[in-house]
Amino acid sequence: MEVLETLMPPSVDAPATLVLKTVTEHEQQPQDRVFVLDQEVTRLGRAADSDVVLDDPQVSRRHAQIELKYQRCVLRDLNSRNGTFVNGRCIDGSAVLSNKDLITIGPFRLQFLDPEGTVVKGQHALKIDHEHGEVFVRGEKVALTPKEYDLLRLLAARPGVVVERSEIAMQVWHEEKPGLVRQAIDTTVTNLRKKLEQADPSVQIMAVRERGYRLLSRT
């Protein structure tokens, strides 16, 4: 049986922390604040009952939250007005955080620190059984359509590498002109992404503007 495996998120012994690195124009002196991420959900926003209060008009009341899932911290945007950014890029729904990632919410910058977040070799999250055309995430079978399966197989063959839209169109849709199947590609990616992230948020398909997509890989 031919099986393709990608590395699974590691176990973490100590809780990660979130450091508020910079101040807004309303404050006089910069002062780092440290928040320990030791609960299932840490809420970030302008609301006074948020776990991390970010008091600025550019921040939504319920802006984002950090979830502890499968021994990883997942940052999720809660349909905020101005978006949530990681390392300068606006996230599309959610993103798995890595050590020293820089989160930007309005005028605030927060650094995610997880020094013990290292990969444990020999454990895997995603398995693709090419012989039987089946996909498993954390041991659970994920039902995919034929196009979703073909797309995932193409992305998984080069984890972390951008696969151009033109190649996706050719390999999955057998179409030389990607513009003709652009909507079909986008719809398939959206549906596949939802299924994978519901099974394990660490398995992500990332869009690269004007180019294509890549499968998140941690090595």
Side-chain angles (χ1 to χ4, degrees):
M1 178 174 66
E2 182 188 2
V3 176
L4 176 67
E5 299 179 331
T6 59
L7 285 175
M8 158 183 185
S11 59
V12 179
D13 295 324
T17 57
L18 195 65
V19 181
L20 184 58
K21 298 295 292 182
T22 60
V23 298
T24 69
E25 59 187 10
H26 308 301
E27 296 178 304
Q28 298 298 319
Q29 298 293 330
Q31 183 177 1
D32 288 353
R33 285 183 283 164
V34 179
F35 303 89
V36 178
L37 304 176
D38 58 355
Q39 52 192 24
E40 289 188 2
V41 177
T42 299
R43 299 170 299 170
L44 299 85
R46 199 177 72 249
D49 61 348
S50 299
D51 300 301
V52 180
V53 178
L54 304 174
D55 190 9
D56 188 274
Q58 297 180 49
V59 180
S60 299
R61 287 180 53 79
R62 307 294 183 193
H63 196 105
Q65 64 187 32
I66 296 177
E67 306 165 357
L68 289 179
K69 287 191 174 182
Y70 306 111
Q71 300 176 320
R72 275 293 190 187
C73 289
V74 179
L75 175 65
R76 188 175 304 279
D77 183 82
L78 301 178
N79 297 317
S80 65
R81 191 169 192 177
N82 294 312
T84 302
F85 296 77
V86 176
N87 300 326
R89 291 187 178 184
C90 187
I91 66 173
D92 182 10
S94 64
V96 178
L97 295 173
S98 298
N99 187 37
K100 296 186 179 180
D101 275 350
L102 188 62
I103 302 168
T104 302
I105 296 178
F108 298 94
R109 290 194 301 168
L110 304 102
Q111 188 169 41
F112 174 78
L113 298 177
D114 185 15
E116 296 189 20
T118 55
V119 169
V120 179
K121 293 184 178 180
Q123 294 182 326
H124 303 83
L126 174 65
K127 293 186 178 182
I128 301 177
D129 181 351
H130 298 309
E131 183 178 346
H132 298 96
E134 296 178 333
V135 173
F136 298 86
V137 177
R138 296 182 64 84
E140 297 294 328
K141 184 177 178 180
V142 178
L144 302 180
T145 66
K147 291 298 185 187
E148 291 168 354
Y149 174 83
D150 290 343
L151 175 59
L152 178 61
R153 181 173 179 175
L154 177 62
L155 297 174
R158 284 171 284 170
V161 177
V162 177
V163 180
E164 303 287 342
R165 279 180 170 273
S166 58
E167 183 175 357
I168 294 174
M170 177 62 74
Q171 296 294 330
V172 180
W173 275 268
H174 309 291
E175 173 59 61
E176 294 183 2
K177 298 180 179 180
L180 297 179
V181 290
R182 183 181 185 90
Q183 184 174 355
I185 292 174
D186 291 341
T187 299
T188 302
V189 168
T190 297
N191 293 336
L192 176 59
R193 178 187 285 143
K194 288 180 179 178
K195 291 179 180 180
L196 294 176
E197 291 187 3
Q198 284 177 356
D200 185 342
S202 73
V203 182
Q204 293 192 323
I205 297 175
M206 310 299 291
V208 180
R209 186 181 296 274
E210 303 301 330
R211 291 190 59 189
Y213 299 92
R214 65 186 179 94
L215 183 67
L216 184 67
S217 175
R218 299 183 179 277
T219 58

